[in-house]
Amino acid sequence: MCGIVGYEGGRQACEILIDALSRLEYRGYDSAGIALLGEGAIHIERRKGKVEELRKIVSGAALKGSIGLAHTRWATHGVPSERNAHPHRAGDVVVVHNGIVENYLELKERLKKAGHVFMSDTDTEVIPHLIADYAQKGRDFTDSVRLALKELKGSWAIGVLKESERTLVAAKNQSPLIVGIGDGEYFIASDIPAIINRTDRFVFLEDNDMAIFKGRSMRLINVDGEDVVREVRQVRWATAMAEKGGYRHFMLKEIFEQPRAISDTLLGRAREEEGEVEFEGVELPDLAGLRKIWMVACGTSHHACMIGKHMIETNLRIPVETDVASEFRYRDPIVSPGDLFIAVSQSGETADTIAAMREARSRGASTLSICNVLGSTLAREADNVVFTHAGPEIGVASTKAFTTQIAVMFLLMLYIGRRVGILDCQDVRERLQEIRSVPRKVQSVLDRARCIQTAAGRYMSFRNFLFLGRGINFPTALEGALKLKEISYIHAEAHAAGEMKHGPIALIDEGMPVVCVSPSDRTCKKTCGNMEEVLARKGSVLLVSDDEAHEMAARATEVIAVPRTVYELQPILSMVPLQLLAYHIADLLGMDVDQPRNLAKSVTVE
């Protein structure tokens, strides 16, 4: 969740690092710091708060140095404060760290007995002290780092500098870290957007890899000291894709990018004329004997999985179990050899989802990941991977990642259906025609965004919301509530509409708006009954529907119309106005939409 950047090359590192940090702000953080190695000395500046506060300090200090590290911290051990901010120092060793050192108390106690003095409350500080301890015993810099890392338990991505060495060391285990390769210069970063404006060539470090940068060269080894080779990959994200492009916030830009993102996700896969779906490089084993599918994720991606379950069970009659990744391993799940386990994550670095996939594989399941980031851990470790082609998603509240995940799940349902003989070419051809129309229909919703902004103005003063949906749109309601609470800090909860009378109806009064997602499907009549119950108790109803003749349209307080599509794809069209509603309410309230408090874009710790 923290952000790491580093530089070794021929230019002054300060502005490069600060710029890269600002591009990682979406990950969520509470403090920031920088370390620059100048002429034989390392200068460190740290500040609680935004990167801009750090920028003011370093700009005035005119710091020099062509090697450096910088960091944004999201507090795990120790409160947000300047003393707990990174980089941390022990003697002439400086470290930035993302992850959690699970055995830090044991290591800290041992090091304190050896005379080391600690200045922070963090788990991270044991790392520079451990490296310094090995150096004091006569080990060289690289060996000191390597041996220290072998003692750590938990997850870590680190950057290390030593005052007496003009060397930068980076290493990772269960936390993301990439290397960017420039012209006679190297960058390290937690995520591609930090440095995509500097290079399009990347090395994705694997667990227990160490990258050593010295004299504008790079050597890769593992923690056992053995040389390793990793592929250099080109990432064709345009720099402009990770910039606001005239929009007020990244989140708004990404909402409006959804027609393009969905189209890109379909490109080359939806072979309409042949009535086929193809995923390059995907070879799912023994689909004819497939008895069960697992779909596991966290947060927004979990809501997408719930929609995927509806698609597959309704059309293919294959049992699908969805689970929250953070719970999966701790309930002794009944996973059998031959099951298909689908792990879903925008970043491909969500720690709980990675751990769940590893657990499923250990029990014999075939694994497939759906993610958005080339070279991510899920992409590398799964037996098969299907990428969404959403492009970089910077806003913490996920939007285009969610809708492209649904698009991939729809294609995956068709892909499996053809291969197990449940769907024929004509079935697939007709459904591909429908999903190809979805980007245009999403655009038609976006063209009416001004109406949704107006509605947001009428609802912004309420402090509680209830979202209702049935069937495949219950997850849509869950996602709508999540979007609102994430960025506006308004309490919002969602329920399957039929459950309202089993408790939530007690909350209904004139102060409780109810958002009902009610397209013209087989559950529509039932949901009308729920809306009647709300209105009878003086609640207000905001109706999202694809039916202009919906029997509640005349009585609802607010109606947001969306185009009609097939049952399985309706959540995409119903979700877009809910994203806009949440965005505009938060913006009207003056919230930090792209960086909501306490949240991070990529949750890389459990």
Side-chain angles (χ1 to χ4, degrees), residues 318-586:
I318 298 172
V320 178
E321 184 159 352
T322 61
D323 212 339
V324 177
S326 57
E327 292 291 318
F328 178 79
R329 288 183 299 152
Y330 301 107
R331 65 177 186 83
D332 194 17
I334 306 173
V335 180
S336 302
D339 288 357
L340 174 61
F341 182 94
I342 302 174
V344 187
S345 165
Q346 186 281 139
S347 67
E349 298 292 353
T350 308
D352 288 312
T353 307
I354 293 167
M357 187 179 74
R358 289 169 176 166
E359 178 73 16
R361 174 185 283 148
S362 75
R363 294 171 182 245
S366 171
T367 59
L368 180 144
S369 66
I370 298 174
C371 65
N372 188 41
V373 180
L374 180 75
S376 61
T377 301
L378 277 180
R380 295 196 312 269
E381 292 194 7
D383 299 323
N384 290 282
V385 58
V386 177
F387 290 105
T388 57
H389 295 306
E393 189 177 69
I394 307 300
V396 167
S398 182
T399 53
K400 61 179 179 174
F402 176 69
T403 51
T404 54
Q405 285 169 355
I406 296 172
V408 164
M409 290 174 188
F410 186 78
L411 294 180
L412 190 62
M413 179 267 291
L414 300 180
Y415 176 89
I416 294 173
R418 282 291 290 128
R419 279 149 186 80
V420 298
I422 294 173
L423 301 177
D424 62 25
C425 289
Q426 185 59 27
D427 291 327
V428 173
R429 189 177 296 115
E430 290 173 358
R431 292 165 195 244
L432 290 179
Q433 288 172 354
E434 190 57 45
I435 196 171
R436 282 198 182 279
S437 73
V438 165
R440 171 177 49 80
K441 293 177 179 180
V442 170
Q443 186 60 54
S444 74
V445 177
L446 296 172
D447 290 342
R448 299 194 296 272
R450 181 72 67 180
C451 298
I452 299 168
Q453 184 177 12
T454 302
R458 291 192 280 268
Y459 282 94
M460 63 181 284
S461 61
F462 291 93
R463 301 312 302 160
N464 298 283
F465 277 74
L466 182 64
F467 287 70
L468 299 177
R470 287 178 183 261
I472 203 166
N473 276 302
F474 169 43
T476 311
L478 287 168
E479 179 62 12
L482 178 60
K483 288 283 96 54
L484 184 62
K485 73 181 81 170
E486 277 182 313
I487 60 174
S488 71
Y489 317 141
I490 292 171
H491 170 249
E493 58 181 271
H495 291 272
E499 290 297 295
M500 188 179 75
K501 57 186 171 292
H502 295 288
I505 197 169
L507 299 170
I508 304 298
D509 60 18
E510 62 273 10
M512 175 67 82
V514 179
V515 180
C516 293
V517 184
S518 180
S520 54
D521 59 27
R522 61 182 178 272
T523 67
C524 181
K525 287 283 187 185
K526 297 292 186 183
T527 310
C528 288
N530 298 123
M531 287 183 264
E532 293 281 13
E533 291 169 337
V534 171
L535 293 170
R537 289 158 180 81
K538 299 183 179 180
S540 61
V541 171
L542 192 160
L543 170 63
V544 178
S545 181
D546 63 349
D547 186 2
E548 294 181 1
H550 195 290
E551 66 181 76
M552 294 301 296
R555 301 190 58 204
T557 316
E558 195 86 40
V559 179
I560 298 176
V562 298
R564 185 167 295 181
T565 186
V566 294
Y567 175 76
E568 296 86 355
L569 296 173
Q570 197 64 52
I572 294 178
L573 298 177
S574 297
M575 191 60 226
V576 174
L578 299 184
Q579 294 169 348
L580 285 167
L581 181 70
Y583 169 79
H584 286 299
I585 288 176

Side-chain angles (χ1 to χ4, degrees), residues 78-92:
V79 299
S81 65
E82 187 172 318
R83 70 190 291 263
N84 287 330
H86 299 210
H88 287 289
R89 182 172 193 153
D92 64 350

Side-chain angles (χ1 to χ4, degrees), residues 74-196:
W74 190 86
T76 53
H77 296 71
V79 299
S81 65
E82 187 172 318
R83 70 190 291 263
N84 287 330
H86 299 210
H88 287 289
R89 182 172 193 153
D92 64 350
V93 176
V94 173
V95 167
V96 295
H97 166 233
N98 181 17
I100 293 177
V101 181
E102 294 174 358
N103 60 333
Y104 85 101
L105 288 174
E106 169 194 327
L107 294 170
K108 187 173 184 177
E109 190 60 31
R110 189 185 92 200
L111 290 162
K112 285 169 72 174
K113 288 179 180 177
H116 291 260
V117 178
F118 288 78
M119 306 300 293
S120 78
D121 305 312
T122 69
D123 57 329
T124 297
E125 198 182 355
V126 301
I127 302 174
H129 281 281
L130 198 54
I131 294 168
D133 195 63
Y134 276 109
Q136 289 167 11
K137 295 172 182 175
R139 295 285 189 170
D140 66 26
F141 178 39
T142 301
D143 255 6
S144 297
V145 175
R146 185 177 63 79
L147 292 169
L149 293 178
K150 288 173 74 73
E151 290 205 55
L152 302 183
K153 294 179 181 177
S155 60
W156 37 264
I158 65 166
V160 191
L161 292 175
K162 192 170 189 289
E163 209 159 50
S164 57
E165 304 263 353
R166 297 199 62 78
T167 305
L168 168 64
V169 176
K172 69 148 290 195
N173 181 59
Q174 298 182 38
S175 283
L177 199 63
I178 61 173
V179 175
I181 302 175
D183 185 9
E185 58 186 359
Y186 294 91
F187 311 85
I188 64 168
S190 298
D191 208 349
I192 291 171
I195 53 176
I196 191 65

